[in-house]
Amino acid sequence: MTEDQKNITEVINNYVKSGFYSLDDTIEEVFETIEGYTYTDDWVEKTIKATYKAHILESKSWTHPTDPEKLKEVFDQLSREGIMALHNFGWENSDIFPVVNATLDDLKENGYEVNLIGCCGYHWQDVEIVLNPQWKSISIVFYSNEEDEIKEKIEQLKIGNRIFELLKEQNFDVEWDGTLEKKVSINNFEWLKCYKEEDDSWDEYTNALWD
């Protein structure tokens, strides 16, 4: 296997094992990501399909709830409390804001008024880190919706504490120093997630706010 093929295989594994993408979407995302590498389309597609099939078969032996399923329970509860909790919301921390704004616009268009306290979530780079066997840790960024600077920091700390509290209730190995400089992190996180076409509740535009 060439060095490019090794790198492409890693990309494929991340997209498949993330559990966020259908087979067609995985193929599209992988080809967009590997531009610049040397490969044949046929090899890439065959590798994606084989990896996807193997992941589905492996998922049948998992014990539930998995760690991502428990994290989803936490995020759904946060959303119900007015803290919009988003899965795989983009590429970096700042990507959360346009997603939040788009979600609020969607809610308003459908007649829902939301009292948003703040938001939190993890992005694609966080997913890549947790999928790495050497790390197996996922970090959650959090922000307040308060406009006043002093109140914003107070509310942001409250949000961080609430995230920490709910994660501890799920018996996660949680790490946070209680400051705004650090994200809330979960160590020893086993990312076991398989894409299910009928389940749209993992979508970044989650509507758990009105559950």
Side-chain angles (χ1 to χ4, degrees):
M1 185 177 285
T2 68
E3 194 63 31
D4 276 357
Q5 285 177 321
K6 289 179 182 178
N7 291 330
I8 291 169
T9 299
E10 182 179 348
V11 170
I12 291 170
N13 282 332
N14 283 342
Y15 276 108
V16 171
K17 293 183 178 181
S18 75
F20 283 112
Y21 303 95
S22 68
L23 177 57
D24 287 343
D25 287 340
T26 299
I27 292 172
E28 181 179 343
E29 293 289 342
V30 168
F31 274 112
E32 287 182 3
T33 304
I34 63 176
E35 288 183 9
Y37 288 111
T38 301
Y39 59 84
T40 64
D41 290 359
D42 182 63
W43 177 83
V44 172
E45 285 206 28
K46 283 183 177 179
T47 304
I48 292 172
K49 290 176 180 178
T51 306
Y52 209 92
K53 181 178 180 180
H55 188 59
I56 292 173
L57 290 174
E58 181 186 339
S59 71
K60 297 184 185 301
S61 65
W62 296 345
T63 300
H64 297 273
T66 63
D67 283 352
E69 288 167 347
K70 291 195 293 182
L71 179 59
K72 183 181 180 300
E73 288 183 27
V74 170
F75 272 32
D76 286 351
Q77 180 58 36
L78 289 166
S79 290
R80 284 189 287 268
E81 294 177 13
I83 303 166
M84 191 184 295
L86 302 170
H87 303 274
N88 191 26
F89 60 73
W91 177 252
E92 58 188 9
N93 293 341
S94 59
D95 290 338
I96 197 170
F97 301 113
V99 175
V100 168
N101 291 333
T103 304
L104 290 175
D105 288 342
D106 288 345
L107 292 170
K108 288 178 182 178
E109 286 179 9
N110 286 281
Y112 292 93
E113 289 297 328
V114 178
N115 180 24
L116 190 67
I117 297 172
C119 60
C120 69
Y122 56 88
H123 49 64
W124 178 248
Q125 291 185 76
D126 296 315
V127 175
E128 290 181 314
I129 290 171
V130 76
L131 284 169
N132 187 325
Q134 295 182 338
W135 292 98
K136 297 179 72 172
S137 173
I138 190 164
S139 297
I140 300 167
V141 68
F142 53 94
Y143 299 101
S144 166
N145 199 40
E146 180 61 57
E147 294 182 0
D148 180 84
E149 186 175 348
I150 296 177
K151 290 181 179 179
E152 178 188 16
K153 293 180 179 179
I154 294 172
E155 290 303 314
Q156 194 171 348
L157 281 173
K158 287 181 180 178
I159 291 170
N161 277 300
R162 183 57 176 153
I163 295 169
F164 185 89
E165 179 183 53
L166 288 173
L167 291 173
K168 293 293 285 186
E169 288 178 7
Q170 291 285 352
N171 296 313
F172 281 125
D173 178 6
V174 192
E175 181 180 338
W176 182 48
D177 64 1
T179 72
L180 299 180
E181 283 69 44
K182 295 288 185 179
K183 296 181 180 181
V184 178
S185 297
I186 312 173
N187 299 319
N188 303 308
F189 193 100
E190 194 73 32
W191 188 274
L192 299 174
K193 185 178 184 309
C194 190
Y195 178 80
K196 294 180 180 178
E197 190 169 353
E198 69 275 10
D199 183 10
D200 63 355
S201 60
W202 285 85
D203 192 274
E204 61 183 9
Y205 298 106
T206 178
N207 291 332
L209 283 167
W210 64 62
D211 280 357

